[in-house]
Amino acid sequence: MKNKIITLSLLSVMLLSGYEAQSQNKKQTKTLPAKSLSTKYDAEIDKLLSKMTLEEKIGMLHGNSMFSTGGVKRLGIPELKMADGPLGVREEISRDNWSAAGWDNDFATYYPAGGGLSATWNAELAYTFGNSLGQELRAREKDMLLSPAINIVRTPLGGRTYEYMSEDPFLNKKIAVPLIIGLQDNDVMACVKHFAANNQETNRDFVDVQIDERTLREIYLPAFEAAIKDAHAYSVMGAYNKFRGEYLCENDYMLNKILRDEWGFKGIVVSDWAAVHTTVKTLKNGLDIEMGTPKAFNDFFLADKLIAAIKAGEISEAEINIHVRRILKTLFQVKAIGASDRAKGSIATEAHYQDAYKIASEAIVLLKNENNALPLKLDGIKSIAVIGNNATKKNALGGFGAGVKTKREITPLEGLKNRLSNTIKINYAEGYLERYEVKNKGNLGDITMNGPVTIDQLDPAKLEEAIEAAKNSDVAIVFAGSNRDYETEASDRRNLNLPFGQEELIKKIVAVNPKTIVVLIAGAPFDIEAIKNKTNALVWSWFNGSEGGNALADVLLGTVNPSGKLPWTMPKNIMDSPAHATNSFPGDKTVSYAEGILVGYRWFDTKKIEPLYPFGYGLSYTTFAFENAKTDKKSYAANETITVAVTVKNTGKVDGKEVVQLYTAKSDSKITRAAQELKGFQKVSVAAGKSQTISITIPVKELAYYNVATKKWTVEPGNYTLKLGSSSRDIKKEVTVTIK
Ligand code: BGC
């Protein structure tokens, strides 16, 4: 039964995600829905409600531990048990404070962070990610995963850029939807966060975000909307900050009007930790559960204060029932009540490590490869210098916020050792030290601070050792970038500089060994222009999960042909980036998103600014040509779907995967538009010398803009150019269609 569900869901993922159904039944166009919240338990829920005391009901509306809400034992209602988060199931936290519970059975698989998953541009892998993680969550006997985190990457400096998916709403939703479906296929619920307009850490506790309506609809909400309407996520997390003057956990417009009334959301809204500020208002405006950080749980806004408010007649018990009913509904849905066949799950299994490996290996992005420096040719190679603190740095834990306690995190150095024969000598040198200025390291929990200040002077002895290693080796690989202490929740970075003196180190290494490859391990853009100009080969990896080091070694050695593409723009200069160019980051008490819809590449392309690396960019060890691009028709009605076919030819010598990206443009538009917008993509595997024809479908309604006057999505008639490229700046074919 379980298998059947998974197969159906996988098919729905492929269809929902623009993936051509690879089955024999190529003509199948029907989209199978994800499982929505069932109404079949309603009578049973009413019965339970009629037996509950007011105190028991209130107990379900707030944390009774750091990661659970109260149950009602005598009625068989369990606690609702939650766990972070985006990188895998977080270790068990104590019931009443943030320290680890000290369990020995909470080791989990560490999955690649959001940026890495998106860089795969592979919806099937997003399903795998969710499904694998859902199994781990069940093995830990939890009901809700506080994930996925899908806020738009508005500024490259954002502390959570590594955790989030993309700067683009389309890629964001196409990764989020299958992930949620995969997760919820395991009798657990996703908690999609942080709803919404939470795009910076600076002042996140109070900053009031102002976004114009069109931008909100076109950029910041689509992935959340798809998470609700297409993936049927059962819960949503309200964000910390304010939106248009009202905290997001008590924001009538966002929670009642948009989420519930417009999108038909029937699930539960959970607060971010300590993001609730009122009692009656928060409930009336759409929140269901208050979670928080240490204080007595009955001091929460939705605990004793709520009982007092009911007694004072400020809110009725009937209104409380609405929230309790929703929570019960989700508990029934995930079989936490009333079922004996709930998925049991499994955790930290070899199969899950292999899921993490598959994702990691498709996430790695090849940024530069002059003179075929990569893959490494081992003939005649006797020694390799492995340089840099990041060769051994682990990132499953670190920084502020959720990480994963894992028994397996293969570092880059271990990956190379695993994959290289021991006849090749590895000369390891740490090269740079990860050091911070103590006074600016910040206190955990101080979320108004700027990010850590690094010490960027190289240690002379470490530098000398690294230079010696590079001199005495046939090839040098420098592992640089950042880590999860430097990129972290609760603060934004101060600038794009490579930390810890890495730039100087790399220049000195290249000077003594021209055969130097640079690998950057990071979750967000950095200024790597000087490095790019110095080296022949540049590879980008991520906080890439338990198997990250093995995947990286396989890419460096050519066992895996890289196929990752950047999910955001890497600017040359932070001031080129839209939020910074418009001087609208981070704001003070208020931040107005002055760039409007021109987020990410939309800004760079429209303003004709050259990025360092464009959105969607990534090389391969082979080359691809696009041939024969055509649409099924020349003109379409508003309710139709455009099918674009293109033949991808592998013109190189090795098998590889290419991501065909489809951008649309309307140069004669009567409204302000971005120069181009991503509206479809497909990853395709093509053997050397062979061709594959793929087709990408775009429902015409995807071409709509949000018309503020009519409050409707509106498709402007006329001509549209469909641009097929291997990145946003490498368009290979164009086709024009007419919309009637
Ligand atoms: C984060 C959430 C997280 C929660 C619980 C908050 O600080 O913003 O993403 O789920 O903590 O750890």
Side-chain angles (χ1 to χ4, degrees), residues 569-578 580-582 598 600-615 675 728-729:
T569 306
M570 188 110 66
K572 285 191 173 172
N573 184 313
I574 188 63
M575 292 313 290
D576 291 344
S577 229
H580 302 269
T582 55
L598 299 183
Y601 68 89
R602 285 167 166 76
W603 173 269
F604 285 80
D605 295 349
T606 309
K607 304 284 178 192
K608 301 195 166 53
I609 301 165
E610 196 64 37
L612 184 60
Y613 288 111
F615 175 79
S728 60
R729 292 278 173 127

PDB file of all heavy atoms in Angstrom, residues 569-578 580-582 598 600-615 675 728-729:
ATOM      1  N   THR A 569      21.862  34.628  -8.211  1.00  0.00           N
ATOM      2  CA  THR A 569      22.885  35.364  -8.947  1.00  0.00           C
ATOM      3  C   THR A 569      24.081  35.616  -8.038  1.00  0.00           C
ATOM      4  O   THR A 569      23.902  35.979  -6.879  1.00  0.00           O
ATOM      5  CB  THR A 569      22.320  36.749  -9.357  1.00  0.00           C
ATOM      6  OG1 THR A 569      21.093  36.542 -10.054  1.00  0.00           O
ATOM      7  CG2 THR A 569      23.301  37.521 -10.222  1.00  0.00           C
ATOM      8  N   MET A 570      25.277  35.437  -8.568  1.00  0.00           N
ATOM      9  CA  MET A 570      26.474  35.814  -7.806  1.00  0.00           C
ATOM     10  C   MET A 570      26.906  37.181  -8.335  1.00  0.00           C
ATOM     11  O   MET A 570      27.372  37.299  -9.470  1.00  0.00           O
ATOM     12  CB  MET A 570      27.572  34.789  -8.049  1.00  0.00           C
ATOM     13  CG  MET A 570      28.778  34.988  -7.167  1.00  0.00           C
ATOM     14  SD  MET A 570      28.944  33.688  -5.924  1.00  0.00           S
ATOM     15  CE  MET A 570      29.267  32.275  -6.937  1.00  0.00           C
ATOM     16  N   PRO A 571      26.726  38.242  -7.526  1.00  0.00           N
ATOM     17  CA  PRO A 571      27.060  39.578  -8.042  1.00  0.00           C
ATOM     18  C   PRO A 571      28.563  39.825  -8.010  1.00  0.00           C
ATOM     19  O   PRO A 571      29.297  39.174  -7.270  1.00  0.00           O
ATOM     20  CB  PRO A 571      26.344  40.501  -7.053  1.00  0.00           C
ATOM     21  CG  PRO A 571      26.296  39.736  -5.779  1.00  0.00           C
ATOM     22  CD  PRO A 571      26.252  38.268  -6.140  1.00  0.00           C
ATOM     23  N   LYS A 572      29.007  40.783  -8.818  1.00  0.00           N
ATOM     24  CA  LYS A 572      30.418  41.182  -8.746  1.00  0.00           C
ATOM     25  C   LYS A 572      30.633  42.029  -7.509  1.00  0.00           C
ATOM     26  O   LYS A 572      31.711  42.031  -6.929  1.00  0.00           O
ATOM     27  CB  LYS A 572      30.775  42.017  -9.974  1.00  0.00           C
ATOM     28  CG  LYS A 572      30.925  41.194 -11.219  1.00  0.00           C
ATOM     29  CD  LYS A 572      31.530  42.030 -12.332  1.00  0.00           C
ATOM     30  CE  LYS A 572      31.819  41.122 -13.508  1.00  0.00           C
ATOM     31  NZ  LYS A 572      32.229  41.826 -14.680  1.00  0.00           N
ATOM     32  N   ASN A 573      29.592  42.772  -7.173  1.00  0.00           N
ATOM     33  CA  ASN A 573      29.719  43.736  -6.097  1.00  0.00           C
ATOM     34  C   ASN A 573      28.372  43.760  -5.389  1.00  0.00           C
ATOM     35  O   ASN A 573      27.335  43.733  -6.045  1.00  0.00           O
ATOM     36  CB  ASN A 573      29.995  45.093  -6.763  1.00  0.00           C
ATOM     37  CG  ASN A 573      30.240  46.174  -5.748  1.00  0.00           C
ATOM     38  OD1 ASN A 573      29.507  46.323  -4.759  1.00  0.00           O
ATOM     39  ND2 ASN A 573      31.275  46.960  -5.994  1.00  0.00           N
ATOM     40  N   ILE A 574      28.395  43.818  -4.091  1.00  0.00           N
ATOM     41  CA  ILE A 574      27.124  43.793  -3.365  1.00  0.00           C
ATOM     42  C   ILE A 574      26.225  44.955  -3.790  1.00  0.00           C
ATOM     43  O   ILE A 574      24.997  44.824  -3.846  1.00  0.00           O
ATOM     44  CB  ILE A 574      27.343  43.767  -1.822  1.00  0.00           C
ATOM     45  CG1 ILE A 574      26.024  43.532  -1.091  1.00  0.00           C
ATOM     46  CG2 ILE A 574      28.012  45.023  -1.298  1.00  0.00           C
ATOM     47  CD1 ILE A 574      25.354  42.230  -1.369  1.00  0.00           C
ATOM     48  N   MET A 575      26.835  46.092  -4.158  1.00  0.00           N
ATOM     49  CA  MET A 575      26.022  47.250  -4.535  1.00  0.00           C
ATOM     50  C   MET A 575      25.322  47.057  -5.888  1.00  0.00           C
ATOM     51  O   MET A 575      24.457  47.841  -6.258  1.00  0.00           O
ATOM     52  CB  MET A 575      26.867  48.533  -4.540  1.00  0.00           C
ATOM     53  CG  MET A 575      27.328  48.965  -3.155  1.00  0.00           C
ATOM     54  SD  MET A 575      26.030  48.944  -1.881  1.00  0.00           S
ATOM     55  CE  MET A 575      25.031  50.322  -2.424  1.00  0.00           C
ATOM     56  N   ASP A 576      25.692  46.020  -6.625  1.00  0.00           N
ATOM     57  CA  ASP A 576      24.965  45.700  -7.868  1.00  0.00           C
ATOM     58  C   ASP A 576      23.647  44.993  -7.569  1.00  0.00           C
ATOM     59  O   ASP A 576      22.770  44.882  -8.417  1.00  0.00           O
ATOM     60  CB  ASP A 576      25.796  44.757  -8.758  1.00  0.00           C
ATOM     61  CG  ASP A 576      27.017  45.449  -9.328  1.00  0.00           C
ATOM     62  OD1 ASP A 576      27.058  46.700  -9.290  1.00  0.00           O
ATOM     63  OD2 ASP A 576      27.921  44.735  -9.794  1.00  0.00           O
ATOM     64  N   SER A 577      23.553  44.444  -6.392  1.00  0.00           N
ATOM     65  CA  SER A 577      22.408  43.621  -6.007  1.00  0.00           C
ATOM     66  C   SER A 577      21.201  44.522  -5.701  1.00  0.00           C
ATOM     67  O   SER A 577      21.364  45.565  -5.079  1.00  0.00           O
ATOM     68  CB  SER A 577      22.808  42.859  -4.744  1.00  0.00           C
ATOM     69  OG  SER A 577      22.513  41.535  -4.887  1.00  0.00           O
ATOM     70  N   PRO A 578      19.994  44.130  -6.110  1.00  0.00           N
ATOM     71  CA  PRO A 578      18.865  45.062  -6.074  1.00  0.00           C
ATOM     72  C   PRO A 578      18.544  45.699  -4.716  1.00  0.00           C
ATOM     73  O   PRO A 578      18.329  46.902  -4.646  1.00  0.00           O
ATOM     74  CB  PRO A 578      17.686  44.220  -6.575  1.00  0.00           C
ATOM     75  CG  PRO A 578      18.153  42.815  -6.586  1.00  0.00           C
ATOM     76  CD  PRO A 578      19.629  42.847  -6.735  1.00  0.00           C
ATOM     77  N   HIS A 580      20.444  46.340  -2.376  1.00  0.00           N
ATOM     78  CA  HIS A 580      21.535  47.243  -1.980  1.00  0.00           C
ATOM     79  C   HIS A 580      21.621  48.433  -2.935  1.00  0.00           C
ATOM     80  O   HIS A 580      21.826  49.571  -2.508  1.00  0.00           O
ATOM     81  CB  HIS A 580      22.841  46.457  -1.917  1.00  0.00           C
ATOM     82  CG  HIS A 580      22.742  45.320  -0.952  1.00  0.00           C
ATOM     83  ND1 HIS A 580      23.081  45.427   0.373  1.00  0.00           N
ATOM     84  CD2 HIS A 580      22.236  44.056  -1.107  1.00  0.00           C
ATOM     85  CE1 HIS A 580      22.824  44.274   0.989  1.00  0.00           C
ATOM     86  NE2 HIS A 580      22.310  43.429   0.114  1.00  0.00           N
ATOM     87  N   ALA A 581      21.432  48.156  -4.225  1.00  0.00           N
ATOM     88  CA  ALA A 581      21.462  49.241  -5.209  1.00  0.00           C
ATOM     89  C   ALA A 581      20.361  50.258  -4.916  1.00  0.00           C
ATOM     90  O   ALA A 581      20.513  51.450  -5.176  1.00  0.00           O
ATOM     91  CB  ALA A 581      21.288  48.676  -6.615  1.00  0.00           C
ATOM     92  N   THR A 582      19.255  49.796  -4.379  1.00  0.00           N
ATOM     93  CA  THR A 582      18.143  50.706  -4.079  1.00  0.00           C
ATOM     94  C   THR A 582      18.207  51.192  -2.634  1.00  0.00           C
ATOM     95  O   THR A 582      17.256  51.785  -2.136  1.00  0.00           O
ATOM     96  CB  THR A 582      16.788  49.996  -4.303  1.00  0.00           C
ATOM     97  OG1 THR A 582      16.783  48.793  -3.507  1.00  0.00           O
ATOM     98  CG2 THR A 582      16.560  49.645  -5.748  1.00  0.00           C
ATOM     99  N   LEU A 598      11.804  43.334  -9.192  1.00  0.00           N
ATOM    100  CA  LEU A 598      13.115  43.055  -9.803  1.00  0.00           C
ATOM    101  C   LEU A 598      14.093  42.452  -8.788  1.00  0.00           C
ATOM    102  O   LEU A 598      15.138  43.030  -8.479  1.00  0.00           O
ATOM    103  CB  LEU A 598      13.674  44.318 -10.447  1.00  0.00           C
ATOM    104  CG  LEU A 598      12.809  44.895 -11.580  1.00  0.00           C
ATOM    105  CD1 LEU A 598      13.482  46.106 -12.207  1.00  0.00           C
ATOM    106  CD2 LEU A 598      12.513  43.845 -12.655  1.00  0.00           C
ATOM    107  N   GLY A 600      16.776  39.522  -7.657  1.00  0.00           N
ATOM    108  CA  GLY A 600      17.728  38.590  -8.251  1.00  0.00           C
ATOM    109  C   GLY A 600      18.025  38.917  -9.703  1.00  0.00           C
ATOM    110  O   GLY A 600      18.210  40.080 -10.078  1.00  0.00           O
ATOM    111  N   TYR A 601      18.030  37.870 -10.547  1.00  0.00           N
ATOM    112  CA  TYR A 601      18.413  38.086 -11.951  1.00  0.00           C
ATOM    113  C   TYR A 601      17.440  39.014 -12.665  1.00  0.00           C
ATOM    114  O   TYR A 601      17.790  39.630 -13.670  1.00  0.00           O
ATOM    115  CB  TYR A 601      18.522  36.744 -12.693  1.00  0.00           C
ATOM    116  CG  TYR A 601      17.202  36.024 -12.879  1.00  0.00           C
ATOM    117  CD1 TYR A 601      16.402  36.264 -13.995  1.00  0.00           C
ATOM    118  CD2 TYR A 601      16.733  35.106 -11.940  1.00  0.00           C
ATOM    119  CE1 TYR A 601      15.182  35.620 -14.163  1.00  0.00           C
ATOM    120  CE2 TYR A 601      15.522  34.465 -12.091  1.00  0.00           C
ATOM    121  CZ  TYR A 601      14.749  34.725 -13.196  1.00  0.00           C
ATOM    122  OH  TYR A 601      13.539  34.092 -13.363  1.00  0.00           O
ATOM    123  N   ARG A 602      16.213  39.117 -12.165  1.00  0.00           N
ATOM    124  CA  ARG A 602      15.258  40.037 -12.797  1.00  0.00           C
ATOM    125  C   ARG A 602      15.831  41.460 -12.821  1.00  0.00           C
ATOM    126  O   ARG A 602      15.624  42.208 -13.755  1.00  0.00           O
ATOM    127  CB  ARG A 602      13.925  40.003 -12.041  1.00  0.00           C
ATOM    128  CG  ARG A 602      13.104  38.745 -12.305  1.00  0.00           C
ATOM    129  CD  ARG A 602      11.978  38.653 -11.285  1.00  0.00           C
ATOM    130  NE  ARG A 602      10.964  37.674 -11.653  1.00  0.00           N
ATOM    131  CZ  ARG A 602      11.090  36.363 -11.556  1.00  0.00           C
ATOM    132  NH1 ARG A 602      12.221  35.846 -11.120  1.00  0.00           N
ATOM    133  NH2 ARG A 602      10.099  35.544 -11.901  1.00  0.00           N
ATOM    134  N   TRP A 603      16.523  41.815 -11.748  1.00  0.00           N
ATOM    135  CA  TRP A 603      17.157  43.135 -11.663  1.00  0.00           C
ATOM    136  C   TRP A 603      18.365  43.209 -12.607  1.00  0.00           C
ATOM    137  O   TRP A 603      18.488  44.115 -13.422  1.00  0.00           O
ATOM    138  CB  TRP A 603      17.594  43.379 -10.220  1.00  0.00           C
ATOM    139  CG  TRP A 603      18.407  44.625 -10.006  1.00  0.00           C
ATOM    140  CD1 TRP A 603      19.774  44.729 -10.048  1.00  0.00           C
ATOM    141  CD2 TRP A 603      17.923  45.940  -9.718  1.00  0.00           C
ATOM    142  NE1 TRP A 603      20.169  46.015  -9.792  1.00  0.00           N
ATOM    143  CE2 TRP A 603      19.043  46.790  -9.579  1.00  0.00           C
ATOM    144  CE3 TRP A 603      16.644  46.480  -9.540  1.00  0.00           C
ATOM    145  CZ2 TRP A 603      18.935  48.143  -9.285  1.00  0.00           C
ATOM    146  CZ3 TRP A 603      16.527  47.836  -9.243  1.00  0.00           C
ATOM    147  CH2 TRP A 603      17.665  48.654  -9.125  1.00  0.00           C
ATOM    148  N   PHE A 604      19.247  42.247 -12.473  1.00  0.00           N
ATOM    149  CA  PHE A 604      20.489  42.266 -13.264  1.00  0.00           C
ATOM    150  C   PHE A 604      20.190  42.292 -14.761  1.00  0.00           C
ATOM    151  O   PHE A 604      20.829  43.016 -15.520  1.00  0.00           O
ATOM    152  CB  PHE A 604      21.357  41.051 -12.916  1.00  0.00           C
ATOM    153  CG  PHE A 604      22.046  41.189 -11.588  1.00  0.00           C
ATOM    154  CD1 PHE A 604      21.365  40.927 -10.404  1.00  0.00           C
ATOM    155  CD2 PHE A 604      23.361  41.600 -11.510  1.00  0.00           C
ATOM    156  CE1 PHE A 604      21.993  41.076  -9.175  1.00  0.00           C
ATOM    157  CE2 PHE A 604      23.998  41.759 -10.289  1.00  0.00           C
ATOM    158  CZ  PHE A 604      23.312  41.492  -9.119  1.00  0.00           C
ATOM    159  N   ASP A 605      19.213  41.496 -15.183  1.00  0.00           N
ATOM    160  CA  ASP A 605      18.911  41.407 -16.618  1.00  0.00           C
ATOM    161  C   ASP A 605      18.196  42.661 -17.116  1.00  0.00           C
ATOM    162  O   ASP A 605      18.473  43.150 -18.208  1.00  0.00           O
ATOM    163  CB  ASP A 605      18.049  40.171 -16.906  1.00  0.00           C
ATOM    164  CG  ASP A 605      18.803  38.885 -16.602  1.00  0.00           C
ATOM    165  OD1 ASP A 605      20.035  38.961 -16.388  1.00  0.00           O
ATOM    166  OD2 ASP A 605      18.179  37.809 -16.551  1.00  0.00           O
ATOM    167  N   THR A 606      17.285  43.170 -16.297  1.00  0.00           N
ATOM    168  CA  THR A 606      16.520  44.344 -16.725  1.00  0.00           C
ATOM    169  C   THR A 606      17.408  45.589 -16.747  1.00  0.00           C
ATOM    170  O   THR A 606      17.331  46.407 -17.657  1.00  0.00           O
ATOM    171  CB  THR A 606      15.314  44.557 -15.779  1.00  0.00           C
ATOM    172  OG1 THR A 606      14.611  43.319 -15.680  1.00  0.00           O
ATOM    173  CG2 THR A 606      14.375  45.635 -16.290  1.00  0.00           C
ATOM    174  N   LYS A 607      18.289  45.694 -15.759  1.00  0.00           N
ATOM    175  CA  LYS A 607      19.174  46.872 -15.675  1.00  0.00           C
ATOM    176  C   LYS A 607      20.478  46.666 -16.450  1.00  0.00           C
ATOM    177  O   LYS A 607      21.372  47.507 -16.379  1.00  0.00           O
ATOM    178  CB  LYS A 607      19.505  47.177 -14.207  1.00  0.00           C
ATOM    179  CG  LYS A 607      18.294  47.386 -13.320  1.00  0.00           C
ATOM    180  CD  LYS A 607      17.667  48.750 -13.537  1.00  0.00           C
ATOM    181  CE  LYS A 607      16.428  48.927 -12.676  1.00  0.00           C
ATOM    182  NZ  LYS A 607      15.632  50.068 -13.021  1.00  0.00           N
ATOM    183  N   LYS A 608      20.603  45.501 -17.065  1.00  0.00           N
ATOM    184  CA  LYS A 608      21.803  45.178 -17.853  1.00  0.00           C
ATOM    185  C   LYS A 608      23.099  45.319 -17.033  1.00  0.00           C
ATOM    186  O   LYS A 608      24.054  45.983 -17.421  1.00  0.00           O
ATOM    187  CB  LYS A 608      21.871  46.056 -19.111  1.00  0.00           C
ATOM    188  CG  LYS A 608      20.648  45.880 -20.006  1.00  0.00           C
ATOM    189  CD  LYS A 608      20.887  46.454 -21.386  1.00  0.00           C
ATOM    190  CE  LYS A 608      19.858  46.031 -22.404  1.00  0.00           C
ATOM    191  NZ  LYS A 608      18.449  46.272 -22.036  1.00  0.00           N
ATOM    192  N   ILE A 609      23.088  44.667 -15.900  1.00  0.00           N
ATOM    193  CA  ILE A 609      24.285  44.642 -15.045  1.00  0.00           C
ATOM    194  C   ILE A 609      24.914  43.256 -15.166  1.00  0.00           C
ATOM    195  O   ILE A 609      24.220  42.244 -15.046  1.00  0.00           O
ATOM    196  CB  ILE A 609      23.913  44.912 -13.568  1.00  0.00           C
ATOM    197  CG1 ILE A 609      23.238  46.285 -13.443  1.00  0.00           C
ATOM    198  CG2 ILE A 609      25.133  44.820 -12.662  1.00  0.00           C
ATOM    199  CD1 ILE A 609      22.510  46.493 -12.128  1.00  0.00           C
ATOM    200  N   GLU A 610      26.200  43.248 -15.414  1.00  0.00           N
ATOM    201  CA  GLU A 610      26.909  41.976 -15.579  1.00  0.00           C
ATOM    202  C   GLU A 610      27.144  41.342 -14.203  1.00  0.00           C
ATOM    203  O   GLU A 610      27.800  41.935 -13.354  1.00  0.00           O
ATOM    204  CB  GLU A 610      28.254  42.281 -16.251  1.00  0.00           C
ATOM    205  CG  GLU A 610      28.965  41.090 -16.832  1.00  0.00           C
ATOM    206  CD  GLU A 610      28.198  40.445 -17.976  1.00  0.00           C
ATOM    207  OE1 GLU A 610      27.560  41.160 -18.768  1.00  0.00           O
ATOM    208  OE2 GLU A 610      28.252  39.211 -18.042  1.00  0.00           O
ATOM    209  N   PRO A 611      26.607  40.149 -13.961  1.00  0.00           N
ATOM    210  CA  PRO A 611      26.925  39.508 -12.681  1.00  0.00           C
ATOM    211  C   PRO A 611      28.270  38.776 -12.785  1.00  0.00           C
ATOM    212  O   PRO A 611      28.795  38.615 -13.890  1.00  0.00           O
ATOM    213  CB  PRO A 611      25.792  38.502 -12.515  1.00  0.00           C
ATOM    214  CG  PRO A 611      25.407  38.142 -13.913  1.00  0.00           C
ATOM    215  CD  PRO A 611      25.714  39.326 -14.788  1.00  0.00           C
ATOM    216  N   LEU A 612      28.787  38.340 -11.668  1.00  0.00           N
ATOM    217  CA  LEU A 612      29.991  37.498 -11.738  1.00  0.00           C
ATOM    218  C   LEU A 612      29.598  36.145 -12.336  1.00  0.00           C
ATOM    219  O   LEU A 612      30.215  35.669 -13.280  1.00  0.00           O
ATOM    220  CB  LEU A 612      30.594  37.343 -10.338  1.00  0.00           C
ATOM    221  CG  LEU A 612      31.901  36.570 -10.288  1.00  0.00           C
ATOM    222  CD1 LEU A 612      32.967  37.250 -11.134  1.00  0.00           C
ATOM    223  CD2 LEU A 612      32.383  36.461  -8.841  1.00  0.00           C
ATOM    224  N   TYR A 613      28.581  35.534 -11.764  1.00  0.00           N
ATOM    225  CA  TYR A 613      27.998  34.321 -12.346  1.00  0.00           C
ATOM    226  C   TYR A 613      26.490  34.474 -12.329  1.00  0.00           C
ATOM    227  O   TYR A 613      25.908  34.805 -11.294  1.00  0.00           O
ATOM    228  CB  TYR A 613      28.399  33.077 -11.558  1.00  0.00           C
ATOM    229  CG  TYR A 613      29.835  32.696 -11.756  1.00  0.00           C
ATOM    230  CD1 TYR A 613      30.754  32.826 -10.720  1.00  0.00           C
ATOM    231  CD2 TYR A 613      30.286  32.225 -12.992  1.00  0.00           C
ATOM    232  CE1 TYR A 613      32.093  32.494 -10.907  1.00  0.00           C
ATOM    233  CE2 TYR A 613      31.619  31.894 -13.181  1.00  0.00           C
ATOM    234  CZ  TYR A 613      32.512  32.027 -12.142  1.00  0.00           C
ATOM    235  OH  TYR A 613      33.820  31.702 -12.330  1.00  0.00           O
ATOM    236  N   PRO A 614      25.840  34.237 -13.462  1.00  0.00           N
ATOM    237  CA  PRO A 614      24.400  34.463 -13.518  1.00  0.00           C
ATOM    238  C   PRO A 614      23.576  33.339 -12.893  1.00  0.00           C
ATOM    239  O   PRO A 614      24.062  32.212 -12.717  1.00  0.00           O
ATOM    240  CB  PRO A 614      24.127  34.554 -15.014  1.00  0.00           C
ATOM    241  CG  PRO A 614      25.214  33.782 -15.664  1.00  0.00           C
ATOM    242  CD  PRO A 614      26.417  33.879 -14.762  1.00  0.00           C
ATOM    243  N   PHE A 615      22.351  33.653 -12.614  1.00  0.00           N
ATOM    244  CA  PHE A 615      21.359  32.676 -12.161  1.00  0.00           C
ATOM    245  C   PHE A 615      21.285  31.528 -13.178  1.00  0.00           C
ATOM    246  O   PHE A 615      21.281  31.752 -14.388  1.00  0.00           O
ATOM    247  CB  PHE A 615      19.999  33.376 -12.070  1.00  0.00           C
ATOM    248  CG  PHE A 615      18.850  32.463 -11.738  1.00  0.00           C
ATOM    249  CD1 PHE A 615      18.639  32.045 -10.432  1.00  0.00           C
ATOM    250  CD2 PHE A 615      17.972  32.038 -12.723  1.00  0.00           C
ATOM    251  CE1 PHE A 615      17.581  31.203 -10.117  1.00  0.00           C
ATOM    252  CE2 PHE A 615      16.913  31.189 -12.418  1.00  0.00           C
ATOM    253  CZ  PHE A 615      16.717  30.770 -11.111  1.00  0.00           C
ATOM    254  N   ALA A 675      13.080  41.707 -17.581  1.00  0.00           N
ATOM    255  CA  ALA A 675      13.517  41.381 -18.941  1.00  0.00           C
ATOM    256  C   ALA A 675      13.162  39.936 -19.293  1.00  0.00           C
ATOM    257  O   ALA A 675      12.806  39.630 -20.428  1.00  0.00           O
ATOM    258  CB  ALA A 675      15.016  41.611 -19.073  1.00  0.00           C
ATOM    259  N   SER A 728      20.594  31.706 -17.304  1.00  0.00           N
ATOM    260  CA  SER A 728      19.803  32.888 -17.656  1.00  0.00           C
ATOM    261  C   SER A 728      20.552  33.770 -18.644  1.00  0.00           C
ATOM    262  O   SER A 728      19.952  34.599 -19.316  1.00  0.00           O
ATOM    263  CB  SER A 728      19.447  33.671 -16.396  1.00  0.00           C
ATOM    264  OG  SER A 728      20.627  34.076 -15.734  1.00  0.00           O
ATOM    265  N   ARG A 729      21.875  33.614 -18.724  1.00  0.00           N
ATOM    266  CA  ARG A 729      22.667  34.435 -19.647  1.00  0.00           C
ATOM    267  C   ARG A 729      23.247  33.632 -20.798  1.00  0.00           C
ATOM    268  O   ARG A 729      24.109  34.124 -21.521  1.00  0.00           O
ATOM    269  CB  ARG A 729      23.809  35.117 -18.881  1.00  0.00           C
ATOM    270  CG  ARG A 729      23.362  36.174 -17.880  1.00  0.00           C
ATOM    271  CD  ARG A 729      23.106  37.504 -18.566  1.00  0.00           C
ATOM    272  NE  ARG A 729      22.516  38.474 -17.662  1.00  0.00           N
ATOM    273  CZ  ARG A 729      23.002  39.700 -17.441  1.00  0.00           C
ATOM    274  NH1 ARG A 729      24.098  40.093 -18.040  1.00  0.00           N
ATOM    275  NH2 ARG A 729      22.376  40.525 -16.631  1.00  0.00           N
TER     276      ARG A 729
END
